[in-house]
Amino acid sequence: MNGAAAGQREPQGDAEDEAFALALRIVEALLFASAVPLSAEVLSRSVPAGIAIEPVLAHLAALYRPRGVNLRQVAGGWAFRTAPDLGYLLAAEAEPPRKLSRAALEVLSIIAYHQPVTRAEIEEIRGVATAKGTLDILLEAGWVRLRGRRRSPGRPVTYGTTPGFLDHFGLDRIDDLPGLDELKGAGLVEGRLTRDLGVPVPDDDPSLRDDEDPLGDLFSPLDDGEGGPQQG
């Protein structure tokens, strides 16, 4: 879908051209009206029969590429976003960015790369205790969710990221997160590294793993990974 040619479409019959034009208007309207990214599958349900959604999205993306808003793939779907070079114009109107503590950033990173992960596992990776309030902040931001319960003593809760996390950080898929080579190239990892150091390939598949059970009753006490129920 790169380049203007990606949005071009050879003329067809009058009826098909009219159907394609209608599909463009429908998809454009749905995307502008939606507060969240919409997947190609969802959009395809509303276009006229016989019209493939991929050429429609390619045409719209090319049409809006030079404009003030661009059509982008984010969080596994499609959404209109302000053109990157014009973002500064809206800075005054935008909500103040949510500032996370270093601890919250570390916890968010661990959840993103190691999900599904329990609080005890997060603390083992960080090497320090994690305050419950840190996880609460990430849950309230909509970037982290409760996934299930680990099939281990105490059945601690497992955490994972959300589509909101992808949308906020401009990611289409969780594996768009940088790997070790990219982190080194950006200067975020320096010095000599141990041979066994690696960055796991993140996976946010919503399906429960073999070692996870459903959450069940959310109002029942949840083990916080320290052998006792979380306090409200």
Side-chain angles (χ1 to χ4, degrees):
M1 297 186 187
N2 293 329
Q8 294 178 352
R9 177 175 177 272
E10 292 297 327
Q12 309 294 322
D14 290 343
E16 187 170 349
D17 283 345
E18 290 180 6
F20 187 82
L22 176 58
L24 285 173
R25 295 180 62 225
I26 290 173
V27 171
E28 184 180 36
L30 289 173
L31 290 172
F32 267 115
S34 178
V36 298
L38 299 178
S39 69
E41 180 182 0
V42 169
L43 292 168
S44 67
R45 299 171 188 165
S46 299
V47 301
I51 299 297
I53 193 64
E54 289 79 9
V56 174
L57 290 168
H59 189 93
L60 277 178
L63 183 65
Y64 277 90
R65 189 168 293 116
R67 297 189 178 183
V69 292
N70 301 152
L71 181 58
R72 295 178 50 197
Q73 284 185 275
V74 290
W78 293 80
F80 284 112
R81 293 290 184 263
T82 303
D85 61 317
L86 299 180
Y88 72 95
L89 294 172
L90 304 180
E93 303 297 331
E95 294 183 9
R98 184 182 295 270
K99 294 184 178 180
L100 296 180
S101 65
R102 178 173 178 176
L105 286 172
E106 290 177 355
V107 171
L108 180 60
S109 299
I110 291 171
I111 293 174
Y113 279 96
H114 294 268
Q115 60 187 304
V117 62
T118 66
R119 178 178 172 183
E121 291 165 346
I122 293 171
E123 293 177 342
E124 181 179 0
I125 294 171
R126 292 186 66 216
V128 295
T130 298
K132 179 180 179 293
T134 300
L135 285 166
D136 288 342
I137 289 172
L138 299 177
L139 289 166
E140 291 170 4
W143 298 340
V144 167
R145 69 184 180 91
L146 304 179
R147 284 179 49 95
R149 297 176 186 263
R150 181 80 76 211
R151 290 182 182 175
S152 62
R155 300 179 66 229
V157 171
T158 56
Y159 297 89
T161 55
T162 67
F165 166 80
L166 297 176
D167 191 8
H168 181 84
F169 291 97
L171 303 171
D172 181 33
R173 296 155 45 98
I174 194 68
D175 54 14
D176 288 337
L177 286 169
L180 181 58
D181 290 340
E182 293 169 294
L183 292 173
K184 290 167 61 178
L188 298 177
V189 177
E190 300 178 349
R192 296 190 61 181
L193 305 178
T194 60
R195 291 184 178 180
D196 59 348
L197 178 65
V199 174
V201 177
D203 181 4
D204 59 357
D205 185 346
S207 303
L208 294 178
R209 311 291 173 83
D210 291 340
D211 62 348
E212 289 181 289
D213 284 325
L215 281 170
D217 184 3
L218 289 177
F219 296 97
S220 64
L222 301 179
D223 193 324
D224 61 6
E226 296 183 347
Q230 293 180 338
Q231 303 298 317

